[in-house]
PDB file of all heavy atoms in Angstrom:
ATOM      1  N   PRO S   1       7.667  -7.872   0.698  1.00  0.00           N
ATOM      2  CA  PRO S   1       8.586  -6.729   0.720  1.00  0.00           C
ATOM      3  C   PRO S   1       8.920  -6.176  -0.667  1.00  0.00           C
ATOM      4  O   PRO S   1       9.360  -5.040  -0.789  1.00  0.00           O
ATOM      5  CB  PRO S   1       9.839  -7.266   1.411  1.00  0.00           C
ATOM      6  CG  PRO S   1       9.732  -8.738   1.337  1.00  0.00           C
ATOM      7  CD  PRO S   1       8.272  -9.078   1.252  1.00  0.00           C
ATOM      8  N   ARG S   2       8.694  -6.943  -1.719  1.00  0.00           N
ATOM      9  CA  ARG S   2       8.980  -6.483  -3.082  1.00  0.00           C
ATOM     10  C   ARG S   2       7.768  -5.821  -3.755  1.00  0.00           C
ATOM     11  O   ARG S   2       7.849  -5.415  -4.914  1.00  0.00           O
ATOM     12  CB  ARG S   2       9.447  -7.654  -3.943  1.00  0.00           C
ATOM     13  CG  ARG S   2      10.811  -8.184  -3.539  1.00  0.00           C
ATOM     14  CD  ARG S   2      11.304  -9.239  -4.507  1.00  0.00           C
ATOM     15  NE  ARG S   2      11.173  -8.834  -5.895  1.00  0.00           N
ATOM     16  CZ  ARG S   2      12.080  -8.114  -6.569  1.00  0.00           C
ATOM     17  NH1 ARG S   2      13.192  -7.757  -5.975  1.00  0.00           N
ATOM     18  NH2 ARG S   2      11.884  -7.791  -7.825  1.00  0.00           N
ATOM     19  N   PHE S   3       6.665  -5.718  -3.054  1.00  0.00           N
ATOM     20  CA  PHE S   3       5.420  -5.225  -3.653  1.00  0.00           C
ATOM     21  C   PHE S   3       5.596  -3.877  -4.342  1.00  0.00           C
ATOM     22  O   PHE S   3       5.225  -3.708  -5.509  1.00  0.00           O
ATOM     23  CB  PHE S   3       4.320  -5.144  -2.585  1.00  0.00           C
ATOM     24  CG  PHE S   3       3.000  -4.672  -3.110  1.00  0.00           C
ATOM     25  CD1 PHE S   3       2.237  -5.490  -3.920  1.00  0.00           C
ATOM     26  CD2 PHE S   3       2.523  -3.413  -2.798  1.00  0.00           C
ATOM     27  CE1 PHE S   3       1.012  -5.050  -4.414  1.00  0.00           C
ATOM     28  CE2 PHE S   3       1.311  -2.967  -3.287  1.00  0.00           C
ATOM     29  CZ  PHE S   3       0.557  -3.789  -4.095  1.00  0.00           C
ATOM     30  N   VAL S   4       6.156  -2.893  -3.650  1.00  0.00           N
ATOM     31  CA  VAL S   4       6.300  -1.548  -4.228  1.00  0.00           C
ATOM     32  C   VAL S   4       7.281  -1.583  -5.398  1.00  0.00           C
ATOM     33  O   VAL S   4       7.007  -0.973  -6.447  1.00  0.00           O
ATOM     34  CB  VAL S   4       6.735  -0.522  -3.161  1.00  0.00           C
ATOM     35  CG1 VAL S   4       6.968   0.840  -3.788  1.00  0.00           C
ATOM     36  CG2 VAL S   4       5.685  -0.425  -2.058  1.00  0.00           C
ATOM     37  N   LEU S   5       8.385  -2.289  -5.254  1.00  0.00           N
ATOM     38  CA  LEU S   5       9.338  -2.400  -6.354  1.00  0.00           C
ATOM     39  C   LEU S   5       8.668  -3.011  -7.584  1.00  0.00           C
ATOM     40  O   LEU S   5       8.848  -2.541  -8.706  1.00  0.00           O
ATOM     41  CB  LEU S   5      10.546  -3.239  -5.942  1.00  0.00           C
ATOM     42  CG  LEU S   5      11.596  -3.478  -7.031  1.00  0.00           C
ATOM     43  CD1 LEU S   5      12.199  -2.155  -7.508  1.00  0.00           C
ATOM     44  CD2 LEU S   5      12.668  -4.408  -6.519  1.00  0.00           C
ATOM     45  N   ASP S   6       7.880  -4.054  -7.360  1.00  0.00           N
ATOM     46  CA  ASP S   6       7.175  -4.682  -8.481  1.00  0.00           C
ATOM     47  C   ASP S   6       6.194  -3.707  -9.135  1.00  0.00           C
ATOM     48  O   ASP S   6       6.070  -3.684 -10.367  1.00  0.00           O
ATOM     49  CB  ASP S   6       6.444  -5.937  -8.020  1.00  0.00           C
ATOM     50  CG  ASP S   6       7.386  -7.085  -7.673  1.00  0.00           C
ATOM     51  OD1 ASP S   6       8.583  -7.011  -8.031  1.00  0.00           O
ATOM     52  OD2 ASP S   6       6.925  -8.044  -7.034  1.00  0.00           O
ATOM     53  N   LEU S   7       5.499  -2.909  -8.331  1.00  0.00           N
ATOM     54  CA  LEU S   7       4.590  -1.904  -8.901  1.00  0.00           C
ATOM     55  C   LEU S   7       5.376  -0.883  -9.723  1.00  0.00           C
ATOM     56  O   LEU S   7       4.937  -0.482 -10.811  1.00  0.00           O
ATOM     57  CB  LEU S   7       3.814  -1.177  -7.804  1.00  0.00           C
ATOM     58  CG  LEU S   7       2.741  -1.961  -7.064  1.00  0.00           C
ATOM     59  CD1 LEU S   7       2.103  -1.076  -5.990  1.00  0.00           C
ATOM     60  CD2 LEU S   7       1.685  -2.501  -8.002  1.00  0.00           C
ATOM     61  N   ARG S   8       6.506  -0.463  -9.199  1.00  0.00           N
ATOM     62  CA  ARG S   8       7.354   0.492  -9.923  1.00  0.00           C
ATOM     63  C   ARG S   8       7.810  -0.082 -11.257  1.00  0.00           C
ATOM     64  O   ARG S   8       8.046   0.671 -12.205  1.00  0.00           O
ATOM     65  CB  ARG S   8       8.573   0.870  -9.080  1.00  0.00           C
ATOM     66  CG  ARG S   8       8.252   1.747  -7.892  1.00  0.00           C
ATOM     67  CD  ARG S   8       9.465   1.929  -7.014  1.00  0.00           C
ATOM     68  NE  ARG S   8       9.188   2.792  -5.871  1.00  0.00           N
ATOM     69  CZ  ARG S   8       9.965   2.869  -4.805  1.00  0.00           C
ATOM     70  NH1 ARG S   8      11.079   2.154  -4.716  1.00  0.00           N
ATOM     71  NH2 ARG S   8       9.641   3.682  -3.812  1.00  0.00           N
ATOM     72  N   ASN S   9       7.917  -1.394 -11.328  1.00  0.00           N
ATOM     73  CA  ASN S   9       8.354  -2.059 -12.552  1.00  0.00           C
ATOM     74  C   ASN S   9       7.186  -2.515 -13.430  1.00  0.00           C
ATOM     75  O   ASN S   9       7.387  -3.304 -14.352  1.00  0.00           O
ATOM     76  CB  ASN S   9       9.247  -3.252 -12.212  1.00  0.00           C
ATOM     77  CG  ASN S   9      10.611  -2.818 -11.743  1.00  0.00           C
ATOM     78  OD1 ASN S   9      11.139  -1.821 -12.218  1.00  0.00           O
ATOM     79  ND2 ASN S   9      11.177  -3.544 -10.800  1.00  0.00           N
ATOM     80  N   GLY S  10       5.979  -2.049 -13.123  1.00  0.00           N
ATOM     81  CA  GLY S  10       4.853  -2.317 -14.001  1.00  0.00           C
ATOM     82  C   GLY S  10       3.846  -3.342 -13.541  1.00  0.00           C
ATOM     83  O   GLY S  10       2.875  -3.608 -14.245  1.00  0.00           O
ATOM     84  N   ARG S  11       4.030  -3.947 -12.383  1.00  0.00           N
ATOM     85  CA  ARG S  11       3.064  -4.928 -11.883  1.00  0.00           C
ATOM     86  C   ARG S  11       1.704  -4.266 -11.710  1.00  0.00           C
ATOM     87  O   ARG S  11       1.596  -3.148 -11.217  1.00  0.00           O
ATOM     88  CB  ARG S  11       3.549  -5.491 -10.543  1.00  0.00           C
ATOM     89  CG  ARG S  11       2.581  -6.447  -9.876  1.00  0.00           C
ATOM     90  CD  ARG S  11       3.193  -6.968  -8.582  1.00  0.00           C
ATOM     91  NE  ARG S  11       2.246  -7.725  -7.805  1.00  0.00           N
ATOM     92  CZ  ARG S  11       2.513  -8.232  -6.604  1.00  0.00           C
ATOM     93  NH1 ARG S  11       3.714  -8.058  -6.075  1.00  0.00           N
ATOM     94  NH2 ARG S  11       1.610  -8.907  -5.945  1.00  0.00           N
ATOM     95  N   MET S  12       0.660  -4.969 -12.111  1.00  0.00           N
ATOM     96  CA  MET S  12      -0.703  -4.477 -11.956  1.00  0.00           C
ATOM     97  C   MET S  12      -1.387  -5.312 -10.866  1.00  0.00           C
ATOM     98  O   MET S  12      -1.609  -6.509 -11.064  1.00  0.00           O
ATOM     99  CB  MET S  12      -1.479  -4.589 -13.266  1.00  0.00           C
ATOM    100  CG  MET S  12      -0.893  -3.741 -14.392  1.00  0.00           C
ATOM    101  SD  MET S  12      -0.892  -1.982 -14.026  1.00  0.00           S
ATOM    102  CE  MET S  12      -2.628  -1.653 -14.030  1.00  0.00           C
ATOM    103  N   PRO S  13      -1.713  -4.697  -9.738  1.00  0.00           N
ATOM    104  CA  PRO S  13      -2.330  -5.464  -8.650  1.00  0.00           C
ATOM    105  C   PRO S  13      -3.785  -5.800  -8.957  1.00  0.00           C
ATOM    106  O   PRO S  13      -4.455  -5.106  -9.727  1.00  0.00           O
ATOM    107  CB  PRO S  13      -2.236  -4.519  -7.453  1.00  0.00           C
ATOM    108  CG  PRO S  13      -2.270  -3.168  -8.069  1.00  0.00           C
ATOM    109  CD  PRO S  13      -1.540  -3.295  -9.377  1.00  0.00           C
ATOM    110  N   ARG S  14      -4.258  -6.843  -8.362  1.00  0.00           N
ATOM    111  CA  ARG S  14      -5.675  -7.193  -8.461  1.00  0.00           C
ATOM    112  C   ARG S  14      -6.486  -6.162  -7.694  1.00  0.00           C
ATOM    113  O   ARG S  14      -5.974  -5.480  -6.799  1.00  0.00           O
ATOM    114  CB  ARG S  14      -5.925  -8.579  -7.868  1.00  0.00           C
ATOM    115  CG  ARG S  14      -5.251  -9.675  -8.646  1.00  0.00           C
ATOM    116  CD  ARG S  14      -5.529 -11.006  -8.001  1.00  0.00           C
ATOM    117  NE  ARG S  14      -4.871 -12.057  -8.771  1.00  0.00           N
ATOM    118  CZ  ARG S  14      -4.665 -13.268  -8.320  1.00  0.00           C
ATOM    119  NH1 ARG S  14      -5.049 -13.597  -7.105  1.00  0.00           N
ATOM    120  NH2 ARG S  14      -4.081 -14.165  -9.085  1.00  0.00           N
ATOM    121  N   SER S  15      -7.761  -6.072  -8.022  1.00  0.00           N
ATOM    122  CA  SER S  15      -8.611  -5.054  -7.384  1.00  0.00           C
ATOM    123  C   SER S  15      -8.713  -5.281  -5.877  1.00  0.00           C
ATOM    124  O   SER S  15      -8.732  -4.327  -5.101  1.00  0.00           O
ATOM    125  CB  SER S  15      -9.996  -5.020  -8.020  1.00  0.00           C
ATOM    126  OG  SER S  15     -10.628  -6.280  -7.907  1.00  0.00           O
ATOM    127  N   GLY S  16      -8.755  -6.529  -5.444  1.00  0.00           N
ATOM    128  CA  GLY S  16      -8.811  -6.801  -4.012  1.00  0.00           C
ATOM    129  C   GLY S  16      -7.551  -6.361  -3.295  1.00  0.00           C
ATOM    130  O   GLY S  16      -7.604  -5.838  -2.179  1.00  0.00           O
ATOM    131  N   THR S  17      -6.405  -6.554  -3.931  1.00  0.00           N
ATOM    132  CA  THR S  17      -5.136  -6.116  -3.353  1.00  0.00           C
ATOM    133  C   THR S  17      -5.102  -4.602  -3.266  1.00  0.00           C
ATOM    134  O   THR S  17      -4.672  -4.037  -2.254  1.00  0.00           O
ATOM    135  CB  THR S  17      -3.952  -6.626  -4.194  1.00  0.00           C
ATOM    136  OG1 THR S  17      -4.011  -8.053  -4.254  1.00  0.00           O
ATOM    137  CG2 THR S  17      -2.623  -6.192  -3.608  1.00  0.00           C
ATOM    138  N   GLU S  18      -5.575  -3.937  -4.310  1.00  0.00           N
ATOM    139  CA  GLU S  18      -5.600  -2.475  -4.293  1.00  0.00           C
ATOM    140  C   GLU S  18      -6.486  -1.957  -3.165  1.00  0.00           C
ATOM    141  O   GLU S  18      -6.098  -1.038  -2.445  1.00  0.00           O
ATOM    142  CB  GLU S  18      -6.081  -1.951  -5.641  1.00  0.00           C
ATOM    143  CG  GLU S  18      -5.957  -0.455  -5.772  1.00  0.00           C
ATOM    144  CD  GLU S  18      -6.104   0.032  -7.189  1.00  0.00           C
ATOM    145  OE1 GLU S  18      -6.134  -0.775  -8.140  1.00  0.00           O
ATOM    146  OE2 GLU S  18      -6.189   1.272  -7.350  1.00  0.00           O
ATOM    147  N   ARG S  19      -7.639  -2.568  -2.970  1.00  0.00           N
ATOM    148  CA  ARG S  19      -8.527  -2.155  -1.870  1.00  0.00           C
ATOM    149  C   ARG S  19      -7.858  -2.391  -0.517  1.00  0.00           C
ATOM    150  O   ARG S  19      -7.953  -1.556   0.385  1.00  0.00           O
ATOM    151  CB  ARG S  19      -9.859  -2.891  -1.951  1.00  0.00           C
ATOM    152  CG  ARG S  19     -10.788  -2.381  -3.034  1.00  0.00           C
ATOM    153  CD  ARG S  19     -12.192  -2.949  -2.905  1.00  0.00           C
ATOM    154  NE  ARG S  19     -12.216  -4.405  -2.948  1.00  0.00           N
ATOM    155  CZ  ARG S  19     -12.296  -5.128  -4.062  1.00  0.00           C
ATOM    156  NH1 ARG S  19     -12.352  -4.537  -5.231  1.00  0.00           N
ATOM    157  NH2 ARG S  19     -12.320  -6.444  -3.997  1.00  0.00           N
ATOM    158  N   ARG S  20      -7.186  -3.531  -0.375  1.00  0.00           N
ATOM    159  CA  ARG S  20      -6.511  -3.845   0.888  1.00  0.00           C
ATOM    160  C   ARG S  20      -5.400  -2.838   1.180  1.00  0.00           C
ATOM    161  O   ARG S  20      -5.254  -2.372   2.312  1.00  0.00           O
ATOM    162  CB  ARG S  20      -5.969  -5.274   0.844  1.00  0.00           C
ATOM    163  CG  ARG S  20      -5.462  -5.753   2.184  1.00  0.00           C
ATOM    164  CD  ARG S  20      -5.165  -7.239   2.200  1.00  0.00           C
ATOM    165  NE  ARG S  20      -4.048  -7.582   1.341  1.00  0.00           N
ATOM    166  CZ  ARG S  20      -4.128  -8.350   0.254  1.00  0.00           C
ATOM    167  NH1 ARG S  20      -5.279  -8.862  -0.115  1.00  0.00           N
ATOM    168  NH2 ARG S  20      -3.055  -8.602  -0.467  1.00  0.00           N
ATOM    169  N   VAL S  21      -4.636  -2.460   0.161  1.00  0.00           N
ATOM    170  CA  VAL S  21      -3.549  -1.498   0.335  1.00  0.00           C
ATOM    171  C   VAL S  21      -4.111  -0.123   0.671  1.00  0.00           C
ATOM    172  O   VAL S  21      -3.603   0.562   1.575  1.00  0.00           O
ATOM    173  CB  VAL S  21      -2.654  -1.464  -0.922  1.00  0.00           C
ATOM    174  CG1 VAL S  21      -1.692  -0.291  -0.877  1.00  0.00           C
ATOM    175  CG2 VAL S  21      -1.890  -2.777  -1.059  1.00  0.00           C
ATOM    176  N   ASP S  22      -5.155   0.297  -0.019  1.00  0.00           N
ATOM    177  CA  ASP S  22      -5.791   1.582   0.307  1.00  0.00           C
ATOM    178  C   ASP S  22      -6.318   1.573   1.739  1.00  0.00           C
ATOM    179  O   ASP S  22      -6.195   2.557   2.468  1.00  0.00           O
ATOM    180  CB  ASP S  22      -6.923   1.900  -0.674  1.00  0.00           C
ATOM    181  CG  ASP S  22      -6.416   2.434  -1.997  1.00  0.00           C
ATOM    182  OD1 ASP S  22      -5.353   3.095  -2.029  1.00  0.00           O
ATOM    183  OD2 ASP S  22      -7.097   2.204  -3.019  1.00  0.00           O
ATOM    184  N   GLY S  23      -6.883   0.452   2.157  1.00  0.00           N
ATOM    185  CA  GLY S  23      -7.370   0.327   3.531  1.00  0.00           C
ATOM    186  C   GLY S  23      -6.237   0.404   4.533  1.00  0.00           C
ATOM    187  O   GLY S  23      -6.368   1.034   5.591  1.00  0.00           O
ATOM    188  N   PHE S  24      -5.119  -0.237   4.217  1.00  0.00           N
ATOM    189  CA  PHE S  24      -3.950  -0.173   5.094  1.00  0.00           C
ATOM    190  C   PHE S  24      -3.495   1.275   5.264  1.00  0.00           C
ATOM    191  O   PHE S  24      -3.234   1.718   6.388  1.00  0.00           O
ATOM    192  CB  PHE S  24      -2.803  -1.020   4.519  1.00  0.00           C
ATOM    193  CG  PHE S  24      -1.491  -0.759   5.198  1.00  0.00           C
ATOM    194  CD1 PHE S  24      -1.194  -1.344   6.416  1.00  0.00           C
ATOM    195  CD2 PHE S  24      -0.566   0.109   4.637  1.00  0.00           C
ATOM    196  CE1 PHE S  24       0.007  -1.076   7.062  1.00  0.00           C
ATOM    197  CE2 PHE S  24       0.643   0.376   5.263  1.00  0.00           C
ATOM    198  CZ  PHE S  24       0.923  -0.217   6.483  1.00  0.00           C
ATOM    199  N   MET S  25      -3.390   2.017   4.148  1.00  0.00           N
ATOM    200  CA  MET S  25      -2.924   3.404   4.232  1.00  0.00           C
ATOM    201  C   MET S  25      -3.904   4.267   5.034  1.00  0.00           C
ATOM    202  O   MET S  25      -3.478   5.099   5.842  1.00  0.00           O
ATOM    203  CB  MET S  25      -2.698   3.977   2.828  1.00  0.00           C
ATOM    204  CG  MET S  25      -1.522   3.346   2.112  1.00  0.00           C
ATOM    205  SD  MET S  25      -1.069   4.128   0.549  1.00  0.00           S
ATOM    206  CE  MET S  25      -2.456   3.685  -0.485  1.00  0.00           C
ATOM    207  N   ALA S  26      -5.194   4.053   4.840  1.00  0.00           N
ATOM    208  CA  ALA S  26      -6.193   4.822   5.584  1.00  0.00           C
ATOM    209  C   ALA S  26      -6.115   4.512   7.078  1.00  0.00           C
ATOM    210  O   ALA S  26      -6.165   5.420   7.918  1.00  0.00           O
ATOM    211  CB  ALA S  26      -7.588   4.514   5.055  1.00  0.00           C
ATOM    212  N   GLU S  27      -5.962   3.243   7.409  1.00  0.00           N
ATOM    213  CA  GLU S  27      -5.857   2.854   8.823  1.00  0.00           C
ATOM    214  C   GLU S  27      -4.582   3.412   9.443  1.00  0.00           C
ATOM    215  O   GLU S  27      -4.600   3.896  10.576  1.00  0.00           O
ATOM    216  CB  GLU S  27      -5.876   1.330   8.937  1.00  0.00           C
ATOM    217  CG  GLU S  27      -5.826   0.847  10.362  1.00  0.00           C
ATOM    218  CD  GLU S  27      -5.860  -0.671  10.459  1.00  0.00           C
ATOM    219  OE1 GLU S  27      -6.519  -1.305   9.620  1.00  0.00           O
ATOM    220  OE2 GLU S  27      -5.217  -1.203  11.379  1.00  0.00           O
ATOM    221  N   TRP S  28      -3.479   3.369   8.713  1.00  0.00           N
ATOM    222  CA  TRP S  28      -2.203   3.897   9.223  1.00  0.00           C
ATOM    223  C   TRP S  28      -2.336   5.390   9.514  1.00  0.00           C
ATOM    224  O   TRP S  28      -1.902   5.866  10.561  1.00  0.00           O
ATOM    225  CB  TRP S  28      -1.098   3.643   8.207  1.00  0.00           C
ATOM    226  CG  TRP S  28       0.269   4.002   8.705  1.00  0.00           C
ATOM    227  CD1 TRP S  28       0.867   5.224   8.661  1.00  0.00           C
ATOM    228  CD2 TRP S  28       1.203   3.133   9.341  1.00  0.00           C
ATOM    229  NE1 TRP S  28       2.117   5.168   9.214  1.00  0.00           N
ATOM    230  CE2 TRP S  28       2.352   3.894   9.643  1.00  0.00           C
ATOM    231  CE3 TRP S  28       1.177   1.780   9.671  1.00  0.00           C
ATOM    232  CZ2 TRP S  28       3.466   3.332  10.267  1.00  0.00           C
ATOM    233  CZ3 TRP S  28       2.284   1.236  10.291  1.00  0.00           C
ATOM    234  CH2 TRP S  28       3.408   2.013  10.586  1.00  0.00           C
ATOM    235  N   ARG S  29      -2.938   6.110   8.578  1.00  0.00           N
ATOM    236  CA  ARG S  29      -3.127   7.559   8.779  1.00  0.00           C
ATOM    237  C   ARG S  29      -4.002   7.833   9.997  1.00  0.00           C
ATOM    238  O   ARG S  29      -3.737   8.753  10.766  1.00  0.00           O
ATOM    239  CB  ARG S  29      -3.741   8.187   7.535  1.00  0.00           C
ATOM    240  CG  ARG S  29      -2.760   8.390   6.416  1.00  0.00           C
ATOM    241  CD  ARG S  29      -3.384   9.171   5.262  1.00  0.00           C
ATOM    242  NE  ARG S  29      -2.369   9.490   4.285  1.00  0.00           N
ATOM    243  CZ  ARG S  29      -2.245   8.897   3.104  1.00  0.00           C
ATOM    244  NH1 ARG S  29      -3.094   7.952   2.741  1.00  0.00           N
ATOM    245  NH2 ARG S  29      -1.281   9.252   2.270  1.00  0.00           N
ATOM    246  N   ALA S  30      -5.039   7.038  10.164  1.00  0.00           N
ATOM    247  CA  ALA S  30      -5.950   7.232  11.298  1.00  0.00           C
ATOM    248  C   ALA S  30      -5.234   6.960  12.624  1.00  0.00           C
ATOM    249  O   ALA S  30      -5.455   7.677  13.601  1.00  0.00           O
ATOM    250  CB  ALA S  30      -7.163   6.321  11.154  1.00  0.00           C
ATOM    251  N   ARG S  31      -4.370   5.958  12.643  1.00  0.00           N
ATOM    252  CA  ARG S  31      -3.662   5.611  13.889  1.00  0.00           C
ATOM    253  C   ARG S  31      -2.488   6.528  14.167  1.00  0.00           C
ATOM    254  O   ARG S  31      -2.208   6.847  15.322  1.00  0.00           O
ATOM    255  CB  ARG S  31      -3.155   4.168  13.825  1.00  0.00           C
ATOM    256  CG  ARG S  31      -4.223   3.141  14.051  1.00  0.00           C
ATOM    257  CD  ARG S  31      -3.637   1.763  14.166  1.00  0.00           C
ATOM    258  NE  ARG S  31      -2.955   1.434  12.904  1.00  0.00           N
ATOM    259  CZ  ARG S  31      -1.942   0.577  12.796  1.00  0.00           C
ATOM    260  NH1 ARG S  31      -1.473  -0.042  13.834  1.00  0.00           N
ATOM    261  NH2 ARG S  31      -1.397   0.325  11.619  1.00  0.00           N
ATOM    262  N   MET S  32      -1.772   6.925  13.129  1.00  0.00           N
ATOM    263  CA  MET S  32      -0.529   7.677  13.313  1.00  0.00           C
ATOM    264  C   MET S  32      -0.715   9.184  13.324  1.00  0.00           C
ATOM    265  O   MET S  32       0.200   9.902  13.716  1.00  0.00           O
ATOM    266  CB  MET S  32       0.496   7.298  12.231  1.00  0.00           C
ATOM    267  CG  MET S  32       0.823   5.819  12.207  1.00  0.00           C
ATOM    268  SD  MET S  32       1.351   5.180  13.794  1.00  0.00           S
ATOM    269  CE  MET S  32       3.065   5.580  13.733  1.00  0.00           C
ATOM    270  N   GLY S  33      -1.837   9.659  12.871  1.00  0.00           N
ATOM    271  CA  GLY S  33      -2.061  11.110  12.866  1.00  0.00           C
ATOM    272  C   GLY S  33      -1.306  11.801  11.763  1.00  0.00           C
ATOM    273  O   GLY S  33      -1.172  11.296  10.660  1.00  0.00           O
ATOM    274  N   GLU S  34      -0.765  12.965  12.069  1.00  0.00           N
ATOM    275  CA  GLU S  34      -0.068  13.789  11.081  1.00  0.00           C
ATOM    276  C   GLU S  34       1.176  13.097  10.566  1.00  0.00           C
ATOM    277  O   GLU S  34       1.942  12.535  11.343  1.00  0.00           O
ATOM    278  CB  GLU S  34       0.313  15.133  11.697  1.00  0.00           C
ATOM    279  CG  GLU S  34      -0.853  16.062  11.937  1.00  0.00           C
ATOM    280  CD  GLU S  34      -1.529  16.465  10.648  1.00  0.00           C
ATOM    281  OE1 GLU S  34      -0.844  16.848   9.687  1.00  0.00           O
ATOM    282  OE2 GLU S  34      -2.764  16.390  10.599  1.00  0.00           O
ATOM    283  N   PRO S  35       1.398  13.144   9.263  1.00  0.00           N
ATOM    284  CA  PRO S  35       2.620  12.555   8.716  1.00  0.00           C
ATOM    285  C   PRO S  35       3.863  13.330   9.118  1.00  0.00           C
ATOM    286  O   PRO S  35       3.788  14.515   9.459  1.00  0.00           O
ATOM    287  CB  PRO S  35       2.413  12.624   7.202  1.00  0.00           C
ATOM    288  CG  PRO S  35       1.405  13.688   7.006  1.00  0.00           C
ATOM    289  CD  PRO S  35       0.560  13.722   8.253  1.00  0.00           C
ATOM    290  N   ARG S  36       5.011  12.668   9.075  1.00  0.00           N
ATOM    291  CA  ARG S  36       6.280  13.308   9.403  1.00  0.00           C
ATOM    292  C   ARG S  36       6.651  14.351   8.378  1.00  0.00           C
ATOM    293  O   ARG S  36       7.192  15.378   8.695  1.00  0.00           O
ATOM    294  CB  ARG S  36       7.394  12.256   9.450  1.00  0.00           C
ATOM    295  CG  ARG S  36       7.258  11.290  10.580  1.00  0.00           C
ATOM    296  CD  ARG S  36       8.448  10.356  10.585  1.00  0.00           C
ATOM    297  NE  ARG S  36       8.108   9.169  11.333  1.00  0.00           N
ATOM    298  CZ  ARG S  36       8.819   8.079  11.330  1.00  0.00           C
ATOM    299  NH1 ARG S  36       9.896   7.989  10.611  1.00  0.00           N
ATOM    300  NH2 ARG S  36       8.469   7.046  12.038  1.00  0.00           N
TER     301      ARG S  36
END
């Protein structure tokens, strides 16, 4: 739950984590359709 806060404070994610997060966002968009 602190992931975004840590990024805002300068945390640099590993490349695998970045790919996983990008995949999560792509999957969410595909399932949820148009954003609010």
Side-chain angles (χ1 to χ4, degrees):
R2 291 186 48 86
F3 181 72
V4 176
L5 178 61
D6 289 346
L7 289 179
R8 289 173 179 164
N9 287 325
R11 176 178 171 183
M12 297 298 292
R14 295 180 180 164
S15 59
T17 302
E18 188 166 351
R19 285 191 302 272
R20 190 169 67 244
V21 169
D22 281 329
F24 167 80
M25 291 188 291
E27 182 179 326
W28 187 274
R29 283 187 173 106
R31 283 188 299 154
M32 302 306 275
E34 288 296 313
R36 292 183 200 167

